[in-house]
Amino acid sequence: MKKKIALITGSAKRLGKFTALELAGAGFDIALHYNNSDKEKVEDTANEISKLNADVKIFKADLSKVEEIRSMFYNIQYEYKDLNVLINNAAIFEGKDFFEVDEKFFDKFININLKSCFFCAQSAAKMMKINDSEINHIINMASLGGILNWTGFMNYGITKAGVIKLTKLLSVKLAPKILVNAIAPGTILTGEDENDNFDKDDTIKYPMKKFGETKDISSVIKYLVTENKYITGQIIAVDGGRSVNI
């Protein structure tokens, strides 16, 4: 049986890596994308994926540049001839006070967090619309930052709110052959390269009284791309109840 192909952007490390491993274990071949990650780390991730009997190919691209996005998809089509799943995972997260934001900082977030999702989805959909699969999937990684109002991370929140709206628009535009959903994670601890942009005491704000783990996200993604044939246009908050505990 022909294996399905999944592209996960930003999949050399953190949540993207664990998502790639989850889908490899579910029988997908993996297009592993990276840009700034250390090449040795990229190779290590590829080796972990290949141990799950998945064919993995590595693609480097600066997703803030549309020409590099298009080049990446051209290479994916050349290597795999097909694409069944796109996970728009790559993003940046950084705080800055509203009055200190300049045009360069603003554009950086728009280009990487939002524009890349739009043009990756566009290129992926062109491949998916002509493949043999009855249903294909695009999953955008949104965030609680696109739902809640984090004034210290305004640029991040604006882009993730845009990702949420993009998800809904694409779900209408691309149905019924392509189902489009988004995941809005709360704080997720990956066990590697943790950043300092969260307060460890914030667990009190979570009804579940703890932060999430990578499996909480990757298992939902696995369900959506292996079992789901009807859910589309939904924003699934995987956040231990944080988004409803205002």
Side-chain angles (χ1 to χ4, degrees):
M1 178 182 290
K2 181 181 177 183
K3 294 181 71 174
K4 292 187 175 182
I5 313 301
L7 165 64
I8 303 98
T9 65
S11 48
K13 59 185 179 180
R14 300 191 181 108
L15 189 54
K17 168 187 170 180
F18 289 101
T19 299
L21 290 168
E22 184 85 41
L23 296 190
F28 286 84
D29 286 335
I30 303 296
L32 189 160
H33 160 264
Y34 81 103
N35 184 31
N36 293 318
S37 294
D38 180 77
K39 191 61 183 293
E40 184 177 349
K41 191 172 189 65
V42 175
E43 294 289 351
D44 287 344
T45 299
N47 288 335
E48 285 189 60
I49 293 170
S50 64
K51 290 177 182 177
L52 297 171
N53 296 317
D55 179 64
V56 55
K57 292 182 172 63
I58 299 170
F59 301 89
K60 185 180 189 301
D62 179 352
L63 300 185
S64 69
K65 299 176 180 177
V66 175
E67 63 270 22
E68 293 201 24
I69 291 174
R70 289 176 175 156
S71 177
M72 177 179 70
F73 277 88
Y74 175 86
N75 292 329
I76 290 171
Q77 189 161 31
Y78 176 81
E79 294 287 348
Y80 283 115
K81 311 295 188 282
D82 206 352
L83 185 67
N84 307 98
V85 171
L86 166 66
I87 312 294
N88 271 319
N89 170 73
I92 56 174
F93 181 73
E94 182 182 350
K96 184 172 283 193
D97 184 82
F98 168 67
F99 292 104
E100 296 177 356
V101 172
D102 58 19
E103 184 179 12
K104 183 178 180 181
F105 186 82
F106 186 90
D107 287 349
K108 178 174 72 171
F109 273 81
I110 293 294
N111 289 341
I112 296 175
N113 288 8
L114 181 56
K115 186 174 78 173
S116 72
C117 288
F118 183 99
F119 285 101
C120 281
Q122 184 187 73
S123 292
K126 288 178 180 179
M127 293 179 66
M128 293 173 178
K129 284 173 71 68
I130 60 174
N131 69 19
D132 295 330
S133 296
E134 179 184 358
I135 293 177
N136 301 271
H137 298 273
I138 295 174
I139 297 179
N140 297 320
M141 297 305 295
S143 168
L144 284 187
I147 299 171
L148 303 180
N149 297 311
W150 301 342
T151 58
F153 300 88
M154 197 172 291
N155 290 73
Y156 179 77
I158 290 168
T159 57
K160 290 302 184 179
V163 168
I164 288 171
K165 188 63 175 180
L166 176 62
T167 299
K168 295 179 180 181
L169 290 168
L170 288 177
S171 71
V172 176
K173 177 66 176 177
L174 300 178
K177 188 174 175 65
I178 304 171
L179 303 184
V180 187
N181 292 287
I183 308 292
T187 299
I188 304 295
L189 303 182
T190 68
E192 58 174 44
D193 297 330
E194 301 297 356
N195 63 56
D196 297 321
N197 290 314
F198 69 95
D199 186 342
K200 293 180 174 59
D201 293 329
D202 272 356
T203 51
I204 194 172
K205 300 176 183 178
Y206 286 68
M208 294 300 294
K209 305 306 179 190
K210 63 178 182 178
F211 296 135
E213 301 175 357
T214 57
K215 190 72 173 179
D216 297 317
I217 303 296
S218 63
S219 61
V220 175
I221 292 174
K222 177 184 174 182
Y223 168 77
L224 287 174
V225 303
T226 60
E227 302 294 334
N228 171 42
K229 295 184 178 179
Y230 198 59
I231 300 168
T232 194
Q234 301 307 304
I235 316 304
I236 303 171
V238 184
D239 66 351
R242 175 66 186 93
S243 58
V244 294
N245 190 30
I246 307 299

